[in-house]
Amino acid sequence: MMTLKAIELNGFKSFGKKSTVSFTTPTTCVVGPNGSGKSNIVESIRFVLGEQSMKSLRGKGGVDLIFKGSKALSHSSRAQVLITFDNSKKIFSFTNSGLGVSLDYDEVVIGREVFPDGVNKYTINNTEVRLKDVVDLLASVNIGSSGHHIISQGEADRVLNASNKDRRAMIEDALGLKVYQYRIRESERKLEKTHINMKEVQALRREIAPHLAFLKKQVQIVEKAREMRDELRGFYKDYLSKESSYIKTEGKRLGDVRHTLEKQSRSLEERISELKSTKEEPQASKHSSAIKTHESELGILRTKKDELSRTLGRLEGTIDGFDREFARASKTKGKVITEGEWRSVVDALDREIDKALESENISEIATILKNMKSRLQTLSRDVETSVEEIDENIKEEYSRVKIARDGVLADMEAIGHNEKQILAQIDELRSDERAVEASLRESERNLYELMREKNEVESSIHSLVFEEDKLNMIKNSFEMELQEASVLIGQDVLSYKNAEVTGEVVRSAQDDLRKKIERIKIKLEDMGSPNSSEMLKEYQDTEERDQFLAKESEDLKQGIDSLKVLIQDLKETLDTEFKTGVSKINKQFQEFFSLMFGGGSAFLSVVMDHKKSRKTDEDIEEEESEAGETELGFERGIEINVTLPQKKVKDLHMLSGGERSLTSIALLFAMSQVNPPPFLVLDETDAALDEANSRKYGNMLDNLSKYSQLVVVTHNRETMSRAQVLYGVTMDASGASKLLSIRLEDASAYAK
Ligand code: ATP
């Protein structure tokens, strides 16, 4: 079971030249004079296994590990160490996979280089890796970082000097519990990281929450606005279709009305002008002048008639006078009238005839009267001679007067007839005149009536203009509304054209509808007009992101929970394993101890120590999460209890150097026995032992080498005798270490 195969040093400390130590036997001793470079080999093993403490490597920086050169040899540019393990049984593995390093080989070669500037380079099978990969890989073969498997010079009793806490770590390491520790730490780191992630996620959610809320509100507004726009669309369709229909119908109606009214107006105008032109003004005056002519004719006739009437009176008076004379004469027939009587008659006649003659008007009468006078003159002359004769003359005169009177009467009748005719004509004219006047009045009435009608028509036209203006206003506001609507609801607005409008459009209903539209418009304006598609997209994105974060948060919470469970499980396992391990070590420890000391007792106990100093809460919390911490302010440690045979001394500090060495060797070996590491390096651990104890030590080495390969640096001959191969280290004048392998027989010879 040779796991450790070889170590190759190149430029490491005193090894200026490439040197290889092969480990082909269970126990390999490295021997040589002081200062030859033996411990440098042990350190090279520490180095290549990932030791980070420069103190453990006896240096201050990387440059101290590099061969500084000598008179004969120039210094190295870097220190390199390669360690080769057997992996034919595939014992190596990684805790975290996926490093891209194949372990599917029979050998595993781990390499480390350090450069003067302190930069380190790690390799596994020639592939560059990180330190943690090396640590991880070694943990799989129970080679921990506590270095319990490498006991350096002067460090033999390190396990005794260590604090309880450090000792616990060593034991955990030896028990191969580092894997758990490592896993716990990894899990805790993960937990911490998860917590941080969780906080980040929560912070992100908190960060986007107000924006999300804002967006949600905006989206609600957008949705509300869309609903309102839908409502508006409906209202608009209704309103605009009705309005358009109204405008059409009303326009047609007003057009018809205008046409009718204008026609009426024209016809009235025509009739009025016609009426005005036919109205005859002179008709009436024609009648009245004709009447006047007739009336003056009538006046003349009447004067004539008066004249005749007077003449008639006189003639009848004359006739009466004659009649009286005739009556008197008949009474006195045969008597002769005196001259006096006669004279008076003649004189009376004469006067009357004179009077008649004075009238100038009727020439005919005058003629007659002249004749009468002349006869009367004749008569008066005859009277003187014969009364009989006179009587005859008067009779003649009498009948002439009578004839004259009849002529006058006939004339008067003719005049009366004439008068009647004229009066009838006047009557006719008057009635004509009245008729004309009546018709004039009638046509005037008609004119007035027409004018009134025309006025009415004009006022109707006036009201029509008013209505037309109103319709124009409606048209304008319709156009404006249409434009506004197209801005608000887009091309959909034109759908009003397809809407069917039945029945009459009621203006008040339209006004109500318009009011509703206005109200919605105001509301929409108040809402503002967030870019809906962008807003929605952003809201969806943000919402998705929030959902994602919520999911993430939930996942992280679950991660935290399961990590906590895992850590708890690991801690419990670690605890159990640790306890079992400690009791196993105790068994071996007791055995080795009594073997070394020929009795006595030795055991480890788990103790709870107070922490050395109070730290901040954060530190405590951090440390508490470490395995091995059970209570606040306490830490678990391992105490060594020994009782030497026949001695009462129990305190480790009171042991002698040799006793300390033996105790620690017993413990170290016990630890190695329980969970054997692939190899153990012991650097002059036996320095303090006397001969008898050296033998016991040698026996234990023999025993131990069955489980672990041993690399022993020693000056002790007894120890050397237990090895199968000896490596001699020398340092010649060149100032660099040199190696030479010595066979066992030679070794024995050298030892003697
Ligand atoms: P001892 O038996 O006394 O313990 P040793 O064989 O263990 O001695 P080491 O301690 O391994 O000796 O070697 C020490 C030697 O290595 C010293 O001589 C020291 O000068 C040399 N050395 C240490 N570091 C370097 C270096 N960087 N370059 C060259 N030589 C070095």
Side-chain angles (χ1 to χ4, degrees):
M1 196 216 55
M2 296 313 136
T3 303
L4 181 63
K5 289 183 92 171
I7 180 136
E8 184 185 304
L9 299 84
N10 195 357
F12 185 80
K13 288 210 167 179
S14 55
F15 290 87
K17 283 182 184 167
K18 187 165 153 184
S19 315
T20 306
V21 187
S22 296
F23 305 100
T24 50
T25 56
T27 308
T28 304
C29 264
V30 178
V31 300
N34 291 133
S36 59
K38 303 184 292 294
S39 294
N40 289 345
I41 294 174
V42 175
E43 264 150 27
S44 77
I45 297 173
R46 273 186 195 282
F47 171 76
V48 77
L49 296 183
E51 179 62 63
Q52 293 300 300
S53 153
M54 283 311 289
K55 205 177 144 209
S56 300
L57 300 173
R58 287 185 300 164
K60 280 180 189 132
V63 76
D64 294 334
L65 305 179
I66 302 166
F67 178 63
K68 291 190 194 312
S70 63
K71 278 177 195 161
L73 276 174
S74 63
H75 69 90
S76 296
S77 58
R78 75 207 198 309
Q80 185 193 40
V81 179
L82 296 168
I83 190 164
T84 308
F85 292 100
D86 182 273
N87 190 34
S88 53
K89 289 179 184 151
K90 307 288 176 260
I91 52 169
F92 284 88
S93 66
F94 287 110
T95 317
N96 343 344
S97 55
L99 287 166
V101 177
S102 172
L103 299 174
D104 201 15
Y105 298 101
D106 286 346
E107 281 184 349
V108 164
V109 182
I110 297 171
R112 181 179 177 182
E113 280 174 83
V114 67
F115 296 88
D117 57 3
V119 169
N120 284 275
K121 205 171 123 183
Y122 301 89
T123 55
I124 294 173
N125 286 350
N126 248 337
T127 307
E128 191 168 343
V129 295
R130 297 162 300 177
L131 168 63
K132 65 178 285 191
D133 303 325
V134 174
V135 174
D136 183 24
L137 183 70
L138 290 171
S140 70
V141 290
N142 199 24
I143 301 172
S145 57
S146 74
H148 71 278
H149 50 281
I150 302 172
I151 315 296
S152 288
Q153 193 176 9
E155 273 196 329
D157 57 356
R158 187 162 71 109
V159 71
L160 298 193
N161 291 333
S163 70
N164 287 350
K165 189 188 170 191
D166 290 346
R167 202 177 287 130
R168 189 197 77 208
M170 283 180 191
I171 285 167
E172 279 175 354
D173 202 357
L175 289 171
L177 301 179
K178 278 281 153 184
V179 179
Y180 294 109
Q181 290 281 24
Y182 180 76
R183 282 192 193 153
I184 287 168
R185 264 202 306 280
E186 279 285 291
S187 303
E188 280 172 345
R189 261 198 295 275
K190 261 190 208 162
L191 184 65
E192 204 178 314
K193 226 174 174 177
T194 314
H195 270 300
I196 290 167
N197 284 347
M198 181 89 163
K199 273 180 191 163
E200 275 172 6
V201 165
Q202 281 168 347
L204 278 174
R205 280 195 83 189
R206 269 199 304 278
E207 207 172 284
I208 63 170
H211 187 54
L212 186 64
F214 167 77
L215 287 173
K216 196 172 177 180
K217 216 172 206 174
Q218 290 298 103
V219 165
Q220 278 169 353
I221 289 174
V222 166
E223 235 137 63
K224 179 86 190 126
R226 204 177 48 208
E227 273 169 31
M228 284 172 74
R229 229 169 249 129
D230 283 346
E231 201 183 5
L232 190 64
R233 195 169 289 123
F235 282 153
Y236 260 137
K237 191 174 175 180
D238 196 12
Y239 175 78
L240 292 173
S241 59
K242 281 181 178 165
E243 201 69 350
S244 136
S245 151
Y246 174 80
I247 287 167
K248 221 181 274 170
T249 320
E250 185 68 0
K252 190 177 174 320
R253 185 183 73 80
L254 293 179
D256 289 350
V257 170
R258 174 167 279 281
H259 184 252
T260 311
L261 286 174
E262 278 173 354
K263 207 169 140 192
Q264 276 178 352
S265 170
R266 268 198 308 279
S267 119
L268 284 169
E269 193 66 61
E270 271 167 28
R271 282 168 67 196
I272 286 166
S273 64
E274 206 176 297
L275 211 57
K276 274 181 178 166
S277 68
T278 54
K279 205 173 86 182
E280 289 177 82
E281 202 87 43
Q283 190 88 13
S285 57
K286 209 166 82 186
H287 278 102
S288 59
S289 75
I291 288 170
K292 267 182 193 152
T293 312
H294 281 307
E295 273 174 349
S296 73
E297 276 172 10
L298 202 61
I300 291 166
L301 279 184
R302 280 186 177 151
T303 314
K304 219 170 177 177
K305 201 177 152 188
D306 285 348
E307 201 93 24
L308 284 175
S309 164
R310 273 193 305 275
T311 307
L312 184 65
R314 271 194 307 272
L315 285 175
E316 281 183 340
T318 308
I319 289 167
D320 282 349
F322 274 121
D323 284 343
R324 270 185 319 266
E325 205 47 50
F326 284 139
R328 196 184 42 92
S330 64
K331 267 181 229 167
T332 56
K333 217 164 176 178
K335 285 184 219 171
V336 181
I337 55 165
T338 67
E339 205 184 329
E341 281 170 336
W342 174 252
R343 189 59 58 194
S344 72
V345 170
V346 173
D347 284 349
L349 268 175
D350 198 36
R351 276 192 307 270
E352 282 195 57
I353 286 164
D354 280 344
K355 246 188 211 171
L357 282 174
E358 272 168 27
S359 162
E360 297 164 352
N361 291 330
I362 309 162
S363 53
E364 204 180 341
I365 293 173
T367 316
I368 294 167
L369 286 174
K370 274 172 193 163
N371 287 339
M372 230 171 71
K373 195 179 177 180
S374 65
R375 273 181 194 136
L376 272 173
Q377 279 164 344
T378 318
L379 186 57
S380 57
R381 275 179 324 257
D382 290 345
V383 161
E384 288 168 10
T385 55
S386 167
V387 175
E388 277 303 311
E389 231 177 284
I390 293 165
D391 195 45
E392 275 302 313
N393 282 342
I394 288 167
K395 275 183 183 173
E396 211 177 303
E397 193 64 27
Y398 180 65
S399 76
R400 268 202 306 270
V401 171
K402 265 191 163 176
I403 288 164
R405 186 197 65 182
D406 289 346
V408 169
L409 278 172
D411 281 351
M412 279 181 76
E413 201 183 305
I415 282 171
H417 184 70
N418 210 350
E419 194 183 30
K420 260 181 202 157
Q421 264 185 340
I422 286 169
L423 280 171
Q425 274 175 344
I426 284 173
D427 270 358
E428 202 179 320
L429 278 170
R430 285 237 165 90
S431 101
D432 273 4
E433 194 183 41
R434 271 197 305 278
V436 165
E437 270 171 6
S439 100
L440 204 64
R441 272 197 301 279
E442 176 66 22
S443 71
E444 254 168 11
R445 243 198 325 277
N446 283 344
L447 189 62
Y448 283 135
E449 180 58 27
L450 288 175
M451 300 278 252
R452 191 192 58 74
E453 275 179 37
K454 195 170 176 254
N455 274 346
E456 235 166 57
V457 167
E458 265 164 10
S459 90
S460 293
I461 287 175
H462 192 72
S463 337
L464 181 69
V465 168
F466 181 69
E467 278 188 89
E468 282 170 343
D469 283 352
K470 217 163 86 180
L471 185 63
N472 277 334
M473 269 158 68
I474 289 174
K475 260 188 210 164
N476 286 343
S477 92
F478 172 80
E479 292 298 330
M480 272 161 65
E481 203 61 61
L482 200 60
Q483 268 186 356
E484 231 176 291
S486 74
V487 172
L488 282 167
I489 60 170
Q491 284 302 303
D492 279 2
V493 72
L494 297 173
S495 73
Y496 82 88
K497 288 182 178 169
N498 310 326
E500 206 180 313
V501 179
T502 50
E504 200 195 333
V505 176
V506 183
R507 286 313 304 164
S508 63
Q510 282 294 89
D511 288 345
D512 287 349
L513 208 50
R514 173 98 183 251
K515 270 179 207 155
K516 278 183 192 165
I517 287 170
E518 287 306 317
R519 271 201 290 277
I520 294 178
K521 278 202 281 192
I522 289 167
K523 275 188 196 162
L524 278 173
E525 210 168 293
D526 285 350
M527 279 177 182
S529 53
N531 188 324
S532 51
S533 61
E534 246 173 56
M535 182 69 65
L536 206 63
K537 174 90 180 63
E538 199 182 343
Y539 172 68
Q540 277 164 355
D541 288 353
T542 315
E543 171 71 17
E544 247 168 53
R545 182 152 165 67
D546 186 57
Q547 292 288 313
F548 172 77
L549 289 173
K551 170 92 178 49
E552 185 104 326
S553 175
E554 187 49 41
D555 289 352
L556 287 171
K557 197 187 164 297
Q558 274 175 18
I560 286 170
D561 289 348
S562 57
L563 275 173
K564 278 181 178 168
V565 169
L566 177 67
I567 290 166
Q568 192 52 37
D569 284 354
L570 283 171
K571 280 182 178 175
E572 276 165 19
T573 311
L574 179 63
D575 202 45
T576 326
E577 297 262 311
F578 181 71
K579 280 174 182 159
T580 338
V582 167
S583 68
K584 276 184 189 167
I585 289 171
N586 273 343
K587 204 168 154 258
Q588 287 292 323
F589 186 28
Q590 176 62 47
E591 218 172 89
F592 286 137
F593 186 83
S594 50
L595 189 77
M596 288 288 211
F597 289 98
S601 76
F603 66 94
L604 302 174
S605 57
V606 180
V607 293
M608 298 303 290
D609 290 343
H610 276 287
K611 278 190 179 174
K612 275 176 190 136
S613 61
R614 296 291 305 171
K615 293 164 187 171
T616 64
D617 287 351
E618 224 169 272
D619 290 337
I620 289 166
E621 201 181 302
E622 197 179 287
E623 286 185 10
E624 239 134 61
S625 68
E626 280 179 25
E629 299 297 318
T630 50
E631 277 175 59
L632 190 70
F634 286 91
E635 54 194 4
R636 189 148 54 183
I638 291 287
E639 210 170 61
I640 302 172
N641 309 276
V642 289
T643 317
L644 295 177
Q646 287 96 41
K647 288 187 181 173
K648 284 190 176 171
V649 177
K650 283 195 174 176
D651 194 333
L652 287 176
H653 294 106
M654 301 184 80
L655 295 175
S656 76
E659 284 170 343
R660 285 175 66 82
S661 262
L662 284 174
T663 307
S664 73
I665 287 163
L667 177 55
L668 286 171
F669 286 4
M671 280 157 64
S672 301
Q673 279 278 341
V674 171
N675 194 20
F679 64 91
L680 260 175
V681 179
L682 304 163
D683 188 358
E684 296 189 42
T685 320
D686 53 6
L689 304 183
D690 59 20
E691 236 181 279
N693 281 333
S694 290
R695 254 196 309 281
K696 287 178 188 168
Y697 178 75
N699 291 342
M700 279 206 291
L701 287 184
D702 284 345
N703 190 36
L704 214 59
S705 68
K706 289 173 193 159
Y707 307 100
S708 301
Q709 250 177 295
L710 300 178
V711 178
V712 187
V713 176
T714 186
H715 291 291
N716 192 307
R717 289 172 191 177
E718 180 58 42
T719 307
M720 286 181 214
S721 72
R722 309 287 173 149
Q724 294 80 45
V725 169
L726 291 181
Y727 267 92
V729 185
T730 57
M731 189 175 279
D732 58 15
S734 73
S737 298
K738 271 186 185 163
L739 283 172
L740 83 142
S741 168
I742 305 166
R743 291 189 301 264
L744 189 63
E745 308 89 70
D746 300 337
S748 309
Y750 174 81
K752 280 158 196 168

